[in-house]
Amino acid sequence: MILKKTNAVLGLMIIAAVICHAGTMTFSLITFWYDFAICKFFAHAAVTFMILHALMSICLFFFQHDGSDMRYSRQNMRTLLQRITAVVMIVLIHFHTSAYAHMATGETLSTGTAVFRCITECIYILSVFLHTAMSFSRALVTLGWISSMRTAARIDRFACIVCGPAAICSLFAVIRFFL
């Protein structure tokens, strides 16, 4: 149970770091303001927590068999979506971290490259915010901070209300930047 609670705390720390990173980067892409130290601090904090969270999640799944019973697929649809979005994030993290490298080198992107990076960024951003919206209340339940299904449902709605517009703003900034 300690491993599961530690993983929940890491998840909440990731959410805080990702919100700060997405907020500063969305602001940067829209206004063309960029502070290397601020933008990279939140990115590095998020990736550090994400690596630890992913490793703990893998350990919980494979060694403690936590959440590995998929016999009740309808009841576990949320878990399945969390895992799918997690895999998408892991696959696309390299594309995300290299998507803006051309800015530092002064390289001009071809149309095909710009469209490819825009599409991978949009998929990555959607998976991050979807994963976050589905995971927030679960972390609070795991930590014992909420016990009511009604409260969890309200927190889920709140998470969707926050993540939906945040994802739209981030997508707008990315699409505007690349196209």
Side-chain angles (χ1 to χ4, degrees):
M1 188 53 117
I2 290 175
L3 188 64
K4 198 169 181 179
K5 287 185 183 233
T6 303
N7 204 29
V9 169
L10 282 170
L12 294 175
M13 292 167 70
I14 293 167
I15 290 170
V18 164
I19 287 172
C20 292
H21 175 59
T24 57
M25 292 311 297
T26 298
F27 183 78
S28 289
L29 291 175
I30 291 173
T31 63
F32 302 109
W33 164 88
Y34 184 76
D35 184 316
F36 182 82
I38 292 172
C39 293
K40 290 299 179 182
F41 171 78
F42 292 124
H44 292 148
V47 80
T48 300
F49 298 142
M50 280 182 202
I51 290 168
L52 294 171
H53 178 66
L55 291 173
M56 281 193 186
S57 295
I58 290 167
C59 287
L60 284 165
F61 181 78
F62 285 109
F63 301 119
Q64 294 189 355
H65 305 289
D66 182 56
S68 61
D69 185 7
M70 296 304 287
R71 285 181 286 174
Y72 306 102
S73 60
R74 281 193 177 165
Q75 293 173 351
N76 291 323
M77 187 57 69
R78 186 177 187 150
T79 301
L80 184 62
L81 285 173
Q82 279 180 303
R83 290 187 182 146
I84 290 169
T85 56
V87 169
V88 169
M89 287 186 286
I90 290 169
V91 168
L92 294 179
I93 190 71
H94 170 71
F95 295 107
H96 175 68
T97 58
S98 63
Y100 306 97
H102 68 282
M103 292 171 52
T105 63
E107 174 190 357
T108 303
L109 299 179
S110 69
T111 303
T113 303
V115 169
F116 175 77
R117 287 187 178 170
C118 184
I119 290 169
T120 58
E121 273 297 280
C122 289
I123 294 168
Y124 180 78
I125 288 166
L126 287 172
S127 65
V128 166
F129 283 108
L130 183 58
H131 189 84
T132 300
M134 290 185 302
S135 302
F136 186 65
S137 68
R138 286 191 161 195
L140 299 178
V141 169
T142 298
L143 293 169
W145 295 352
I146 59 171
S147 57
S148 160
M149 293 298 288
R150 189 174 186 194
T151 303
R154 286 183 181 153
I155 290 172
D156 285 338
R157 277 192 296 279
F158 171 77
C160 289
I161 289 169
V162 170
C163 287
I168 290 168
C169 288
S170 296
L171 291 170
F172 170 77
V174 165
I175 292 168
R176 183 174 169 260
F177 178 79
F178 280 108
L179 304 180

